[in-house]
Amino acid sequence: MSGPDPAVAAQRSAVRAELADLPPGVVVLVACSGGADSLALAAATAFVAARAGLLAGAVVVDHGLQPGSAGVARRAAEQCRGLGLDPVEVITVEVGPAGPGGGPEAAARTARYDALREAATRHGDAVVLLGHTLDDQAESVLLGLARGSGARSLSGMARRRGRLRRPFLAVRRDQTERACRVLGLEPWHDPTNLVSDAAGPLRSQVRHEVLPVLERVLGPGVAEALARTAEQLRQDGDLLDELAGQVLLAARSAGPAGDSGADPADGLDVVVLAAAPPALRHRVLRAALLAAGVPAGALHRVHIEAVDALVTDWHGQAGVAVPGGGQVQRRYGRLTVINDRERGAGSGGSFGHG
């Protein structure tokens, strides 16, 4: 008797490896859109979970942004139930307006991830599996490169982040489509992913126009090379983040003259910051700004460099405005961030908190 199709077997193996650390009885939820990637993930998860003693279900998020989206969500849920997943939820979300630094796609993503995290909480801190593939990772790296983003963006999507896991980051998109054909699943094809001209989403244009050109000019294997680059940069970035965390802690706790025991509410010590290499200092400042409430999607390198100048090129200049209505100021050898309300009251902010 022959074994499963190679694509199906590889996807089951990927899920098995991703769930190997979970004890029996843990709930695993597949985020299923009805597309080939998430349906193939649902099938692989149903197979693996049943043999590992895990409780496997699915969450289908209906963004309500396209005609007939409710029917697509129902069909995705039906196929998940047919695979043996239970519970299967369809959650309709309201996509809010695009925030600073993000368009409609970012707003939809925020609503989707919020819904997934809430579902995970309802089901006992469940693990949530996402169907992003190697192709998605390669597209993310190219988009980050084109935007001039730093290593953080070029490192692509993390395999794990909190409850979220991505078992298919080494799986090609055409293999998920093959798995669906072999297993008799009927994936939904998002029309926005099929648009390759300027009217479509930027990611879709990268998928249909940019990557094929790179493959034709540079030869096959470009997507795999981009994914490998992302993994290498993520490893480097994780180490830098750890080191930056140590610098941030030191900058928070150092006193005005470098002694320990300062109140963290007093901000960050510029002597400690100035002694750090630029790569670490920039990460420290970014982490501190995010902890102070600056929106991540609106925080760009130009803001970090402007704040960094308060440390490395100090000549009594005024504070630096940052997204979200805050302002970073240097006072008495420390950086502090204050918002509009605090400026009116003349009080300091919470740059040091995190």
Side-chain angles (χ1 to χ4, degrees):
M1 181 177 179
S2 61
D5 178 87
V8 173
Q11 290 159 37
R12 290 174 177 174
S13 178
V15 171
R16 187 178 298 111
E18 192 58 55
L19 302 182
D21 64 316
L22 300 180
V26 171
V27 178
V28 178
L29 299 175
V30 178
C32 186
S33 67
D37 299 340
S38 59
L39 272 182
L41 177 59
T45 303
F47 180 89
V48 170
R51 289 155 180 79
L54 301 171
L55 304 178
V59 178
V60 182
V61 178
D62 176 14
H63 300 87
L65 297 178
Q66 298 180 25
S69 64
V72 171
R74 284 194 301 270
R75 178 57 181 152
E78 290 170 1
Q79 294 195 82
C80 287
R81 294 187 184 101
L83 290 167
L85 297 179
D86 182 36
V88 176
E89 294 186 31
V90 175
I91 302 175
T92 302
V93 298
E94 182 175 345
V95 178
E105 293 176 66
R109 183 169 57 250
T110 297
R112 178 169 63 254
Y113 280 99
D114 286 346
L116 292 173
R117 292 188 178 96
E118 290 171 4
T121 299
R122 286 197 303 275
H123 292 284
D125 292 334
V127 169
V128 178
L129 302 186
L130 306 173
H132 297 114
T133 66
L134 183 148
D135 299 80
D136 294 311
Q137 187 76 298
E139 293 159 10
S140 295
V141 174
L142 277 179
L143 286 168
L145 184 64
R147 291 165 177 155
S149 303
R152 184 184 302 275
S153 179
L154 297 181
S155 64
M157 296 174 285
R159 188 168 65 87
R160 293 186 182 185
R161 177 165 293 168
R163 301 172 185 172
L164 307 179
R165 302 189 181 192
R166 297 180 172 90
F168 279 6
L169 286 183
V171 174
R172 295 302 304 265
R173 183 176 295 128
D174 61 352
Q175 293 303 295
T176 65
E177 295 169 349
R178 176 180 174 84
C180 287
R181 291 194 300 270
V182 169
L183 297 173
L185 300 172
E186 299 177 1
W188 170 66
H189 298 286
D190 185 346
T192 63
N193 288 336
L194 304 177
V195 178
S196 61
D197 57 27
L202 188 58
R203 180 177 288 272
S204 182
Q205 297 175 55
V206 169
R207 179 175 305 174
H208 295 290
E209 300 290 337
V210 179
L211 270 172
V213 169
L214 291 176
E215 294 273 357
R216 186 170 65 250
V217 174
L218 301 178
V222 170
E224 289 87 349
L226 289 169
R228 287 196 303 272
T229 298
E231 178 60 24
Q232 293 164 8
L233 287 172
R234 181 161 295 279
Q235 292 175 3
D236 294 346
D238 289 344
L239 174 59
L240 286 171
D241 283 342
E242 181 179 348
L243 296 174
Q246 297 172 12
V247 175
L248 179 57
L249 180 61
R252 283 173 174 162
S253 58
D259 59 306
S260 61
D263 184 349
D266 291 337
L268 305 180
D269 182 75
V270 296
V271 174
V272 173
L273 293 175
L280 288 183
R281 189 170 59 250
H282 290 174
R283 285 173 180 263
V284 169
L285 294 175
R286 183 179 190 277
L289 287 167
L290 293 178
V294 176
L299 182 59
H300 302 304
R301 185 174 180 83
V302 62
H303 303 120
I304 303 297
E305 291 178 338
V307 174
D308 189 58
L310 296 177
V311 177
T312 62
D313 189 26
W314 172 246
H315 48 269
Q317 65 264 43
V320 173
V322 291
Q327 185 180 90
V328 181
Q329 297 183 353
R330 173 168 170 163
R331 297 185 296 186
Y332 306 108
R334 301 184 74 80
L335 295 186
T336 57
V337 63
I338 57 177
N339 58 37
D340 290 330
R341 177 181 55 80
E342 289 165 338
R343 280 204 298 273
S347 60
S350 56
F351 206 173
H353 290 286

